[in-house]
Amino acid sequence: MARPSRPEKLSDQLPGLFDLLPPWEEDDRAEVLVAKVVFPDGPSGDFDYLVPACLAGRVQPGQRVRVPLGKGNRLAVGYCVEVGSRPVGQRQLKPIGQLVDERPLLSPAMLRLTQWMADYYLCDWATVLETVLPAGVRHRAGLRLTTFWELNQEALAKLDLATLPPKQRLVVQILREAKEPLTAPEIQRVAKCSAGPITALHRKGLLKGRRVRIRRQDILEPPEPRQPNLPLNPDQQKALEIIRQVIHSGQHKTILLYGVTGSGKTEVYIQAIQEVLRFGRQAIVLVPEISLTPQTLQRFRARFDSVAVLHSHLTDAERHWQWERIASGKVQVVIGARSAVFAPVPHLGIIVLDEEHEASFKQQQTPRYHAREVALWRAAAEGVPLILGSATPSLETWYQAQQGHYLLVQLPRRIEDRPLPPVSTIDLRIENSGKKPLAISRPLYAAMRESLREGGQIILLLNRRGFSTHIQCPACGYVLKCPLCDIALTHHRTQQIALCHYCDYHEPAPTACPHCQFLGILYRGLGTQRLEVEVRSRFSGVPCLRMDTDSMQARGAYDRALEAFRTGKVRILLGTQMIAKGLDFPEVTLVGVVNADTALHLPDFRASERTFQLVTQVAGRTGRGPKGGRVLVQTFNPDHPIIQAAIRHDYVRFAQMELANRKAFGYPPFTRMIRLVVRGLRPEPTAEFAKLLAERVREQLGLVQPPAGPQMPTRVLGPAPAPFAKLRGMYRYHLLLQSSDGDQLRQAVRRATADLQVPENIQWIADVDPIEML
C-alpha cells in the first residue's frame, strides 16, 4: 500500500503529522488497525479511520479524536466508538490525527447504552454521546494549564553559577532542594522575587517547563450530622425484605414501590441502598425536580459517607468535579435529576427513581429520552434492581406491574398511621359569580385564617406563571399574542412586560388596545404573581414566598426558599407544580389548590392523568405532622370523575377508569407511539411535506388506507396542525404512529426517512414514547 498523500489543509493544521507516521507496505502487514468514529457536528453515521503506528495501543473506544473530514480534510472532533483490525483493502483510509482525550470518557457499558438510545430514540449516536457527557467534562471545566519548572541538569553542569545574578542563583538553589517541580507562584513566594528571574533562567536554557492541567479548587462540602436509621413500620419492613431478596438474587428486577404520600418511601430507599453498599456497590437516585434535590441530598448525606449530586444548576466546574469523584469509585450514592441516570459509577448496585410518574424525566430536546426507560435498560444490562417509587404511578408503570412484568410492593398507610388529609372541593362556578372574583375564595380564605391562627403553615398551588394569563380588549375582542408562536402573551407585572413562555418573546405591557386604541384593555386570567399580590394584600404581615421558575432563577434560590419555609420564617408558600411533590414539612396544616382545572381540558390524552397526579401529590404535602391537615380544591368541575377520584385519594379507581379509556382509543400503555412533528417557515409547504412523510410511513407499515377505527393494531393519524400550530416562528404539523410493536414503528420511520429529501426551511423530529401532544 502506498503512503498516503498529505492533504494541504490537514498539513497546515497539523504540521509534520504525516512525517511522523511510519510508512507501511501491503506486503509487510495483512491487517490494519481501524477506529470507527462518529461526529457530533458532522455527517450522520460512523466512519472508519486508520490508527497510525504512533497511536497504536492508545486509541480506545470512548475517547475523542481529531481526524480529517471531507474533501478539504478539515480537522473535526469525533468520538471513537470501536477499534478493531481488518484486512488491508483497496480503499485507502485517512489516519487519525490526534487524541483529544488521553483516557476514555465513556466505559464500554455506557457506549452500549448510548448505542441503544440512538437506535431506540431515532437519533444520531454522536448526539447521544454529547448528551451523556456534560459540557463541563468535555471542556475539562475547573482545570487550568499550569507550568511546573525544574532544572535542566545538563545545561547547569556547563555553567558557573557564580556568573548568575543573586536572584537567579536563589531560584536554582530552591529548585535543587525541592523534591518535585514547582510552579512559578511557588518559586516566587519562597524566593521573594518576581517572575523575571524564572523567565531569564528559562531563556538561558537552565529551566525546563512542563505544562499540566490541575484543578483550580476542590469543592468542600460541610458534613451533615450523622443520623441513625429510622424505625420501620410493618409495611416498610415487608417492602424492604422483598427488595433485599431481589438484591441478594444478583439479578435484575424492576420494582414498583407504590406508597401513599407520607408512607416513608425514602426511608425504604435508604435502607435498601445500605444493603447494596455492603457488597461494595453504588447507587443512583433520581428525583424529578431540582427543588427536591437539596432536601433529598440533605437526608442522604446524613446517612452516607460520600454523596455526589448532579443537576443543571451546577456550574460546569462543579459538574466536572462531581463526575470525576463518581468515576473514581469513591462515591456511594449519586443523587440528581434526569441526566444523573448517566452517572459513571463503576460498580452500580441499584437505581431508584423517586416520583417516577413525573413528566420532567422526559427530555424534550434530541435525544428525547425518558430517564425511566434509560434506567430500565441500564439496570437490566448491569443486572441490578430498579426501584420506581410513586404515590401516583404513571399508567404505563402501573399496567406493567398489574401484568406481572414489574414486582408490585405497596405501602398503603402513612407513617405512624397518620390519616390522609381530608379533601374538599370549592365550586368556583358559585364562588366566582360576583362582579370581581378573587383567586382565593371565601371558604379558602377562612381556612387560611384558621390555619395561621393555630400556628400552621400553608401551601397554595397554582400551575400558571405570571400575573395575568392573557391580555384582551373588551371593545374589539383583540387578544395580545406572540408574533412567533400565535399564543396569548402572559403579563408579568414585575417587569411590566407581556411575555411568551415558549420562545421568551416580550414587549412592554400595553396601556391601550394595539388594534383599536381602546384605553380599557383588560388583563385577565390568574398567574402566580397575581396570586402573590392578593395573598400579601389579604394577609398583610404574614411572611409569604412565591416559588416558580421566574422567582427561582438565582443560584441557590431553591435551597434558601425551602430552608426559610422549613424553619418557619415563611408561613405561606405559593407556587407552581415544583412545590407539589416530594417535600416534607410537618407544620403544613392546609393545602389550597387554587385552580385544579388548568390542565384538565388540554388536547392531550394524558391531561386527566396529570390533573389527578398534581392534585393528589399536592394534597400529600399536608397532614404529615401531629397537627394534621386538610386540603381545599377550587374547581369549576367538582363532579368530574378525575377530581372525585383525587379528593378520595383513590388511585386504583382512577387507574381503572383511565386504562379503560386508553384501551378503547388505542393509547399507551396498550400501544407504542411515535409522534412526528414537521416545522416550517410557511404553512403550505410544511403541510405538504407532512403529508408526504405520512404517506411514506404508511407505505412502510403497509397501510394504504386511512385507519378504520381506534381498534386497528397499527395506524397513522394525521397529519394535522399541532394544538400549538405555531411556535418560535415555525408552523407545526404532527402525526401519530401507533402499534403494539414499537420496533415495527421505528423501522418504518427509518426506512421512510432514509433517502428523504427535506426542503429548505423545513425540519422534522421524531418523538418516541411522547408524553405531551401540544
Side-chain angles (χ1 to χ4, degrees):
M1 181 181 295
R3 183 175 181 177
S5 60
R6 291 184 291 175
E8 182 177 329
K9 290 188 178 180
L10 179 61
S11 61
D12 289 342
Q13 297 178 66
L14 284 181
L17 167 65
F18 288 90
D19 295 330
L20 298 176
L21 303 182
W24 64 86
E25 300 295 337
E26 188 170 351
D27 295 339
D28 294 338
R29 53 195 291 186
E31 291 186 336
V32 290
L33 201 59
V34 175
K36 285 191 180 299
V37 178
V38 297
F39 297 96
D41 298 313
S44 299
D46 54 68
F47 297 83
D48 289 344
Y49 282 87
L50 180 74
V51 178
C54 61
L55 294 180
R58 295 175 60 198
V59 178
Q60 301 177 60
Q63 287 173 305
R64 289 174 299 169
V65 293
R66 242 181 220 102
V67 296
L69 182 64
K71 294 182 180 180
N73 286 318
R74 67 178 179 88
L75 281 184
V77 174
Y79 289 86
C80 172
V81 295
E82 183 183 327
V83 177
S85 57
R86 76 172 200 190
V88 174
Q90 298 299 316
R91 186 167 64 93
Q92 205 171 75
L93 296 179
K94 296 177 182 179
I96 292 175
Q98 288 179 335
L99 290 178
V100 178
D101 310 301
E102 284 300 322
R103 56 186 177 84
L105 298 179
L106 293 162
S107 67
M110 290 304 294
L111 283 174
R112 291 191 293 270
L113 173 63
T114 54
Q115 186 176 27
W116 169 81
M117 288 177 61
D119 180 68
Y120 188 88
Y121 291 106
L122 298 173
C123 58
D124 291 336
W125 194 354
T127 302
V128 179
L129 292 171
E130 290 277 283
T131 300
V132 168
L133 280 173
V137 176
R138 286 184 270 121
H139 301 151
R140 302 185 182 95
L143 300 178
R144 66 182 178 196
L145 277 172
T146 300
T147 301
F148 285 84
W149 297 101
E150 58 185 336
L151 297 174
N152 184 344
Q153 300 295 348
E154 294 181 2
L156 280 174
K158 302 175 183 177
L159 180 72
D160 182 4
L161 292 181
T163 62
L164 293 175
K167 284 293 183 182
Q168 293 183 25
R169 286 202 306 272
L170 180 57
V171 168
V172 171
Q173 185 64 29
I174 290 170
L175 285 173
R176 274 181 171 169
E177 295 175 355
K179 297 180 180 179
E180 56 188 16
L182 301 177
T183 65
E186 290 172 332
I187 297 172
Q188 290 171 232
R189 185 173 62 251
V190 177
K192 295 186 171 73
C193 68
S194 66
I198 302 172
T199 302
L201 289 170
H202 177 57
R203 287 174 179 166
K204 295 175 181 178
L206 302 178
L207 293 188
K208 297 187 297 184
R210 179 168 54 90
R211 290 175 67 79
V212 178
R213 287 189 180 272
I214 64 170
R215 184 167 301 285
R216 289 192 179 97
Q217 59 182 9
D218 277 345
I219 302 169
L220 300 177
E221 296 179 336
E224 289 285 340
R226 294 306 295 268
Q227 296 178 1
N229 285 345
L230 300 178
L232 303 181
N233 63 27
D235 293 329
Q236 290 174 300
Q237 191 63 51
K238 181 179 178 181
L240 182 60
E241 286 304 320
I242 294 173
I243 296 172
R244 280 174 172 165
Q245 291 174 14
V246 175
I247 293 172
H248 292 168
S249 72
Q251 297 179 345
H252 164 72
K253 189 73 175 179
T254 300
I255 302 164
L256 170 57
L257 184 59
Y258 165 51
V260 299
T261 56
S263 58
K265 293 185 289 294
T266 302
E267 186 64 28
V268 175
Y269 302 153
I270 288 174
Q271 297 197 27
I273 291 171
Q274 289 172 345
E275 191 72 17
V276 168
L277 297 184
R278 291 177 53 202
F279 298 93
R281 306 188 76 83
Q282 301 156 286
I284 296 175
V285 179
L286 304 181
V287 294
E289 293 277 358
I290 296 174
S291 60
L292 300 186
T293 307
Q295 189 176 33
T296 305
L297 181 61
Q298 185 179 30
R299 290 180 180 177
F300 276 78
R301 288 181 59 202
R303 308 286 281 280
F304 298 99
D305 294 330
S306 56
V307 178
V309 60
L310 292 173
H311 58 70
S312 59
H313 277 206
L314 296 178
T315 66
D316 283 349
E318 289 171 339
R319 186 178 284 268
H320 186 199
W321 180 74
Q322 296 281 21
W323 189 271
E324 287 189 338
R325 288 181 63 213
I326 296 165
S328 70
K330 298 176 182 178
V331 169
Q332 295 173 320
V333 184
V334 179
I335 297 175
R338 180 178 60 229
S339 62
V341 72
F342 305 119
V345 292
H347 307 295
L348 183 62
I350 195 170
I351 303 177
V352 176
L353 263 82
D354 191 27
E355 310 290 359
E356 67 84 27
H357 63 277
E358 277 299 324
S360 58
F361 280 127
K362 169 79 170 179
Q363 176 156 294
Q364 296 302 327
Q365 295 84 33
T366 305
R368 291 172 169 80
Y369 71 91
H370 198 299
R372 182 181 62 226
E373 300 303 318
V374 175
L376 177 60
W377 195 95
R378 185 174 182 184
E382 302 200 31
V384 302
L386 168 64
I387 300 179
L388 306 175
S390 178
T392 56
S394 65
L395 288 177
E396 288 86 348
T397 297
W398 180 256
Y399 180 75
Q400 292 294 327
Q402 294 298 305
Q403 296 299 305
H405 302 306
Y406 296 168
L407 183 61
L408 178 61
V409 179
Q410 301 191 54
L411 298 176
R413 287 177 289 273
R414 281 187 153 191
I415 297 296
E416 298 179 359
D417 282 328
R418 292 195 179 105
L420 288 167
V423 183
S424 305
T425 58
I426 299 172
D427 192 340
L428 291 179
R429 294 172 299 183
I430 299 173
E431 292 296 324
N432 284 5
S433 59
K435 292 183 178 180
K436 188 179 180 181
L438 296 171
I440 300 172
S441 63
R442 288 172 297 174
L444 179 55
Y445 175 75
M448 292 175 67
R449 284 178 60 90
E450 181 182 356
S451 178
L452 292 171
R453 186 169 57 249
E454 295 176 352
Q457 291 178 296
I458 299 169
I459 289 178
L460 296 179
L461 170 72
L462 176 60
N463 207 26
R464 284 286 184 271
R465 288 192 292 142
F467 191 85
S468 302
T469 55
H470 63 281
I471 305 170
Q472 186 173 22
C473 175
C476 68
Y478 176 81
V479 175
L480 194 65
K481 292 185 176 182
C482 173
L484 300 176
C485 299
D486 198 27
I487 292 173
L489 295 176
T490 300
H491 177 218
H492 283 247
R493 191 176 184 181
T494 307
Q495 302 108 316
Q496 280 301 319
I497 60 172
L499 173 69
C500 176
H501 288 168
Y502 292 88
C503 71
D504 291 331
Y505 168 85
H506 62 275
E507 59 184 66
T511 56
C513 175
H515 184 67
C516 71
Q517 308 307 314
F518 179 67
L519 295 177
I521 194 166
L522 298 178
Y523 289 76
R524 291 177 169 172
L526 177 65
T528 49
Q529 287 185 3
R530 173 173 282 185
L531 176 61
E532 181 184 18
V533 170
E534 182 174 328
V535 168
R536 293 186 183 278
S537 172
R538 300 179 72 180
F539 297 93
S540 60
V542 178
C544 170
L545 180 67
R546 171 169 56 91
M547 283 186 68
D548 55 26
T549 53
D550 297 321
S551 62
M552 295 289 112
Q553 292 182 354
R555 181 172 170 81
Y558 290 96
D559 304 47
R560 292 190 295 271
L562 295 179
E563 179 64 16
F565 193 60
R566 185 185 67 80
T567 57
K569 295 178 181 177
V570 169
R571 301 288 302 283
I572 302 175
L573 180 67
L574 64 94
T576 54
Q577 61 182 354
M578 68 172 59
I579 67 171
K581 47 223 167 185
L583 302 179
D584 186 1
F585 297 109
E587 297 301 313
V588 174
T589 57
L590 176 66
V591 165
V593 180
V594 177
N595 188 345
D597 309 329
T598 52
L600 187 57
H601 303 297
L602 291 176
D604 190 326
F605 72 91
R606 285 193 170 91
S608 295
E609 181 180 12
R610 292 200 183 103
T611 299
F612 176 87
Q613 290 169 342
L614 190 60
V615 173
T616 303
Q617 289 287 338
V618 74
R621 298 315 105 207
T622 187
R624 291 172 171 253
K627 295 180 180 179
R630 60 186 295 209
V631 183
L632 294 179
V633 177
Q634 299 186 158
T635 172
F636 289 97
N637 300 273
D639 299 323
H640 195 289
I642 300 302
I643 299 295
Q644 286 295 310
I647 66 176
R648 293 190 178 101
H649 306 282
D650 193 349
Y651 174 82
V652 175
R653 173 61 179 155
F654 156 75
Q656 289 173 344
M657 291 189 299
E658 194 62 18
L659 284 173
N661 291 335
R662 299 275 185 94
K663 187 173 184 180
F665 291 97
Y667 283 116
F670 299 97
T671 61
R672 310 297 290 194
M673 182 184 293
I674 297 177
R675 183 184 186 219
L676 302 181
V677 181
V678 178
R679 305 181 293 206
L681 293 177
R682 294 191 294 125
E684 294 83 5
T686 306
E688 285 300 315
F689 181 77
K691 183 179 178 181
L692 170 65
L693 181 59
E695 290 172 352
R696 291 175 68 114
V697 172
R698 284 194 177 99
E699 180 182 351
Q700 294 298 330
L701 290 171
L703 302 175
V704 294
Q705 298 293 332
Q711 297 299 329
M712 289 192 66
T714 301
R715 60 179 180 167
V716 177
L717 303 177
F724 289 168
K726 186 181 180 184
L727 277 179
R728 302 176 185 90
M730 306 284 275
Y731 293 91
R732 305 167 74 242
Y733 290 79
H734 69 158
L735 52 151
L736 297 181
L737 285 55
Q738 293 173 299
S739 174
S740 58
D741 187 347
D743 288 336
Q744 179 192 27
L745 294 182
R746 280 186 288 273
Q747 291 171 10
V749 173
R750 285 193 203 94
R751 291 194 298 264
T753 58
D755 58 349
L756 184 63
Q757 299 297 315
V758 183
E760 189 177 1
N761 296 325
I762 287 182
Q763 305 165 356
W764 70 275
I765 63 169
D767 189 359
V768 179
D769 301 333
I771 64 166
E772 60 93 14
M773 299 289 112
L774 301 180

